[in-house]
Amino acid sequence: MMSVESKKTREVGCSKLKLFLVSLAFVYFAKAFCGAYLKSSITQIERRFDIPSSLIGVIDGSFEMGNLLVIAFVSYFGAKLHRPRLIGIGCLIMAIGSFLIAMPHFFQGPYKYETSMSHNTQVNSTETILPCLANHSMADADGTPNVEDRKACEEAAGSSMWVYVFLGNVLRGIGETPIMPLGVSYLDDFSKQENTPFYLACIHTVGILGPMVGFMMGSYLAKIYVDIGFVNLESITITYKDSRWVGAWWLGFIVSGTVILLSSIPFFFLPKSLPKQGEEDSNHTNTELATVTEQEHFLPDEAHGDEKEKLVTFQEMVKDFIPSIKRLFKNSIYSMMILTNLVSVNSFIGMITFKPKFMEQTFGQSASKAIFLIGIMNLPAVALGIITGGFVLKRFKLSIVGAARVAMAASIGSFCMLGIQNFLHCDNAEVAGLTVSYKGYPELSYNQQSLLSECNMGCSCSLKHWDPVCAYNGMTYASPCLAGCQTSSGTGRTMVFHNCTCISDSVMKATNMSAVLGQCPRKGECDSKFKIYMALSVVGSFMSACGGTPGYIVLLRSIQPDLKSLALGMQTLIVRTLGGIPPPIYFGALIDLTCLKWGTKQCGGRGACRIYDANAFRITFLGLITGLYFLTNILGGILYVIIVKRQKKLSLRNQENENGLEGNEVSNGHASINIAKNSEDTSKESTI
């Protein structure tokens, strides 16, 4: 009878473990989906609120700020509480944060993009606009409005609404906190040790589908105008390829918030603990196995019985917190892994945050296409790399040293792919007065007055506004007025400007003196270079991801079981605090230095950047990433040496233990004492 009950208990435990595995994988998908969508919407948010890249970096880093507030306490005390239920509560908080991010759209008025005000937005009008002659009042717009008028304008425009995005992202960070440390430790506690790498690989592989869906949705919504359903789209004179275009960024956060809300439901129906997978139950049911094991290490020695463990007070747990932290960081492998991951995450976060903008500015791709390519090419390569790393560990049953070797090789291969990317680039877009002179020669130094030339001197053009037109000679001009255009025809996006005097001054003579709305596309050879860049980027993503699961296993196996939740939580705390918050900020601040033309806010003042110096952008962006990856490989090499030395040390100690055991069998009555001593010494080392 007991055997039947025991069998039923194991079957129920196994089914609930599988339910937890599926639920955790779905949560990884949902949180990655929302996080990736935020990354894909960075450019849209920057343009919508007219803020610089450095402030966008602060908003992006607010997720990690939310983590910082609670991660240490959730990881430590959460391990003593109901872990699945805490994960479910975290998902609810994440959903609220996602809805809060979308809220500004419903309180702001319609988006008013920057324009030279020379466009006829009346679709049925036949009036002819005279850009050069009609712009005499535009010079007055370059002046700075008084403080009272500007304040009233900003309140009406809702220019500080980005704060809601910031606070919503903080809530997302708080809600995401329990998922990784509590979820992974719960899974590792109740699954077979040899199954853990494969389970983790499956979770991360499902999780990587989230960024794929997030980037794909971001690409789709980037083509839909932000105020769709509220404005006449035929009156909009810009396209999704324009640097002033804002997509329907808010809609994605409503969708992702709903998905996260649904993912929270299963965790409220899972038990606090499960039977250990694959272990036979004895006369007593072992449903509190992992909880007891963890608490035995944290509590005083006299607390052995089940009743005493249940009566552990909050004060006792708090008292043992600092000693547990000290024990954790005395582990040299763990400390070195934290440092290596910290540098690596700095590089990764900076890269993934501004990679769409890099592709847009360096290779002339639209924001929508850049996001789409990342989602359809890079992310599947990452998913394949993660599952490949987990399969290699399981197939070849690699030791800790073997796992570290795989992770190191993957990191070096990825660094080589990144190094080659530094040599692929396109020339700057040809913009008169910014990257080239009005004659068509390279512009050595830019200042605002360089936008003026003899060909447009009599037009009284505004120098602040960005309303680009493309001439038939392949050169872009900052506005129809600065191109010296005298007349126009057509309406909306089909408007054409004629008799542009600056076009005739260029060395690239054009028989047609007309210009159309929007920037000119890049030259043909840029497309071939971009294809090579994407190929290298995909291969590098795959190689880097191959080392993800092995590196994670090294981390799990190098810490003592009772400190597992705390170790994962502290890793998340440190890496996200120093590796998640600063990179978007300092990457964004340095990228801002490469801006050639800043936009102008509706109420005056500097808005978002409209065009960058592509060469300076590339050197700054890729230079930072390459330097950080180089340092990551140096630290990874040191870590590998430490792991090899520790493994040799433990092998020698095990050999001494075996020799001591044989000697004690010959002598009388001392074997148990020596074994206990050796066992105690071994417990002080890493669990490698």
Side-chain angles (χ1 to χ4, degrees), residues 38-203:
L38 177 65
K39 293 290 185 185
S40 71
S41 302
I42 285 293
T43 302
Q44 312 301 322
I45 295 172
E46 178 182 346
R47 294 173 181 173
R48 181 64 182 94
F49 298 102
D50 257 331
I51 53 180
S53 297
S54 53
L55 185 52
I56 271 293
V58 174
I59 293 174
D60 186 67
S62 61
F63 179 85
E64 277 70 29
M65 295 177 192
N67 261 263
L68 172 63
L69 294 174
V70 294
I71 183 65
F73 299 100
V74 168
S75 301
Y76 181 69
F77 298 112
K80 318 294 179 184
L81 304 174
H82 198 301
R83 286 179 280 184
R85 196 168 295 164
L86 285 176
I87 294 173
I89 294 172
C91 291
L92 292 178
I93 296 174
M94 286 184 71
I96 294 172
S98 296
F99 295 139
L100 184 61
I101 292 175
M103 190 179 295
H105 173 75
F106 301 98
F107 294 107
Q108 280 184 304
Y111 171 56
K112 296 181 180 180
Y113 54 88
E114 181 186 1
T115 175
S116 64
M117 299 174 65
S118 62
H119 295 163
N120 180 11
T121 58
Q122 300 300 318
V123 177
N124 296 324
S125 175
T126 58
E127 179 186 357
T128 299
I129 302 298
L130 306 177
C132 180
L133 301 178
N135 263 356
H136 288 292
S137 62
M138 284 303 296
D140 298 332
D142 287 345
T144 304
N146 62 59
V147 177
E148 292 182 0
D149 291 344
R150 184 171 177 175
K151 185 176 181 181
C153 179
E154 287 178 350
E155 288 179 357
S159 58
S160 60
M161 285 288 183
W162 60 266
V163 174
Y164 286 95
V165 181
F166 177 89
L167 294 176
N169 211 26
V170 170
L171 283 180
R172 283 187 57 247
I174 293 174
E176 195 263 356
T177 304
I179 294 174
M180 194 279 288
L182 301 188
V184 172
S185 63
Y186 188 90
L187 184 67
D188 194 49
D189 284 344
F190 303 118
S191 64
K192 289 182 180 178
Q193 182 171 324
E194 61 268 25
N195 288 342
T196 301
F198 185 70
Y199 287 161
L200 288 176
C202 290
I203 289 173

Side-chain angles (χ1 to χ4, degrees), residues 148-275:
E148 292 182 0
D149 291 344
R150 184 171 177 175
K151 185 176 181 181
C153 179
E154 287 178 350
E155 288 179 357
S159 58
S160 60
M161 285 288 183
W162 60 266
V163 174
Y164 286 95
V165 181
F166 177 89
L167 294 176
N169 211 26
V170 170
L171 283 180
R172 283 187 57 247
I174 293 174
E176 195 263 356
T177 304
I179 294 174
M180 194 279 288
L182 301 188
V184 172
S185 63
Y186 188 90
L187 184 67
D188 194 49
D189 284 344
F190 303 118
S191 64
K192 289 182 180 178
Q193 182 171 324
E194 61 268 25
N195 288 342
T196 301
F198 185 70
Y199 287 161
L200 288 176
C202 290
I203 289 173
H204 286 292
T205 302
V206 173
I208 206 64
L209 296 176
M212 289 173 59
V213 176
F215 273 92
M216 295 289 284
M217 187 171 72
S219 174
Y220 174 73
L221 293 179
K223 293 183 179 181
I224 299 176
Y225 192 65
V226 60
D227 293 317
I228 185 172
F230 298 95
V231 297
N232 181 7
L233 296 181
E234 292 183 358
S235 68
I236 305 300
T237 59
I238 57 176
T239 68
Y240 68 90
K241 295 181 180 180
D242 197 288
S243 61
R244 295 164 294 169
W245 175 273
V246 175
W249 62 274
W250 53 274
L251 190 56
F253 290 105
I254 295 177
V255 174
S256 61
T258 304
V259 172
I260 294 172
L261 190 63
L262 293 175
S263 71
S264 68
I265 296 174
F267 291 97
F268 293 101
F269 300 96
L270 285 164
K272 182 179 180 181
S273 60
L274 295 170

Side-chain angles (χ1 to χ4, degrees), residues 548-594:
T549 304
Y552 208 73
I553 292 302
V554 171
L555 176 66
L556 286 175
R557 297 293 176 257
S558 63
I559 51 181
Q560 297 181 12
D562 62 318
L563 298 178
K564 195 177 297 177
S565 292
L566 179 62
L568 294 174
M570 290 305 299
Q571 181 216 21
T572 304
L573 169 67
I574 295 170
V575 170
R576 284 195 165 164
T577 302
L578 301 178
I581 299 175
I585 299 174
Y586 68 76
F587 266 77
L590 291 173
I591 287 172
D592 280 342
L593 297 177
T594 68

Side-chain angles (χ1 to χ4, degrees), residues 76-77 298-300 302-303 308 311-321:
Y76 181 69
F77 298 112
F298 279 106
L299 301 180
E302 63 270 13
K308 290 185 178 180
L311 296 175
V312 172
T313 63
F314 180 78
Q315 288 80 4
E316 288 175 319
M317 288 194 293
V318 171
K319 185 178 180 181
D320 201 45
F321 180 70

